[in-house]
Amino acid sequence: QLPNETSLELGKIAELEMLDSIEIQPNNVRNHAFLSNLYMSMARIDTIYAEKNIELVTKAIDLSETRTHLYYTLGRSYIVSGDANKALINFHKAVELSPRVFDAHLNLFATLATFGQYEQANKYATTVISEKLERDLNAGEYSRLAIVYQLLKQQTQAISILEIAIEKHPNDSMLFKQIAVYYAETKENEKAINAATKALEIDPSFKVEYEQFINSL
């Protein structure tokens, strides 16, 4: 909640201390990881820190080539700098290292969607992730995939993910609540009401929020 200028001033102080830690223990990759997290936070304000992170993490990978988190932050840095190909390369590497970790797949999916590769993103979300994880996605994981599309203003794509999720998890009230909101955003009020009503049937404690939602429509 601080002004950006103040946040950057504090970030620079923290950066100097973390650089000192790296100088003292240059082979401790945890120090690099801490600074990488800071750079990614600062990159939201000033993209120069994405470039700094690329330089930092490229060196850190030499210390720990199998640390998945490093590829996450490197991929995100390339997203900030607008290099889709390098972002995808790093997220593919993270999936290769952690094929049964959902977040690795979520990062790759989000990158495909962010750069408008919706056909590939859709296939990845609905088929590839389950195959790689060797299990069906749970309701919360489907929800997170849909949120990526919703944040990108792709409500229709978000709805398609949730419709698949509901087929797999027909008794999850959270999914019906979420899709009701997305239907409302696309002006599909009848579908929104039906989804919200189904959520209420599953979760009677939803009554107050349900009535407010219906009134808002």
Side-chain angles (χ1 to χ4, degrees), residues 57-105:
V57 175
T58 300
K59 294 177 180 177
I61 285 173
D62 291 337
L63 300 175
S64 182
E65 293 183 355
T66 59
R67 194 181 184 97
T68 308
H69 177 75
L70 295 176
Y71 296 96
Y72 288 170
T73 62
L74 193 53
R76 289 171 187 156
S77 294
Y78 281 121
I79 289 176
V80 173
S81 65
D83 193 327
N85 288 334
K86 288 185 178 179
L88 288 169
I89 286 169
N90 282 281
F91 287 130
H92 275 294
K93 181 65 177 180
V95 167
E96 180 185 317
L97 291 171
S98 302
R100 297 187 182 179
V101 176
F102 174 75
D103 279 2
H105 297 286

Side-chain angles (χ1 to χ4, degrees), residues 116-136:
Q117 299 180 32
Y118 297 124
E119 185 175 345
Q120 289 178 268
N122 290 343
K123 182 179 179 181
Y124 197 81
T126 57
T127 306
V128 178
I129 295 178
S130 292
E131 292 175 355
K132 295 280 188 180
L133 293 176
E134 298 183 2
R135 62 172 175 80
D136 287 334

Side-chain angles (χ1 to χ4, degrees), residues 166 172-184 188-217:
I166 286 169
D172 191 285
S173 64
M174 176 193 69
L175 293 174
F176 284 101
K177 294 172 188 176
Q178 188 175 358
I179 202 171
V181 172
Y182 295 173
Y183 280 139
E188 298 178 89
N189 287 3
E190 185 176 349
K191 288 184 177 181
I193 292 170
N194 290 339
T197 301
K198 182 63 178 179
L200 179 62
E201 291 174 6
I202 298 169
D203 178 14
S205 69
F206 178 53
K207 185 176 181 180
V208 173
E209 292 87 347
Y210 169 81
E211 290 176 349
Q212 292 173 344
F213 180 72
I214 298 301
N215 289 334
S216 72
L217 293 178

Side-chain angles (χ1 to χ4, degrees), residues 106-195:
L106 179 65
N107 280 319
L108 179 51
F109 162 77
T111 304
L112 290 168
T114 297
F115 287 101
Q117 299 180 32
Y118 297 124
E119 185 175 345
Q120 289 178 268
N122 290 343
K123 182 179 179 181
Y124 197 81
T126 57
T127 306
V128 178
I129 295 178
S130 292
E131 292 175 355
K132 295 280 188 180
L133 293 176
E134 298 183 2
R135 62 172 175 80
D136 287 334
L137 299 185
N138 62 43
E141 289 166 343
Y142 275 116
S143 173
R144 293 174 69 191
L145 292 171
I147 287 171
V148 171
Y149 274 139
Q150 196 267 344
L151 291 173
L152 293 170
K153 308 298 183 186
Q154 298 295 321
Q155 276 82 354
T156 301
Q157 305 284 9
I159 287 169
S160 69
I161 293 291
L162 290 177
E163 288 174 340
I164 293 169
I166 286 169
E167 288 180 12
K168 302 280 188 179
H169 304 280
N171 297 312
D172 191 285
S173 64
M174 176 193 69
L175 293 174
F176 284 101
K177 294 172 188 176
Q178 188 175 358
I179 202 171
V181 172
Y182 295 173
Y183 280 139
E185 290 176 349
T186 56
K187 309 299 182 185
E188 298 178 89
N189 287 3
E190 185 176 349
K191 288 184 177 181
I193 292 170
N194 290 339

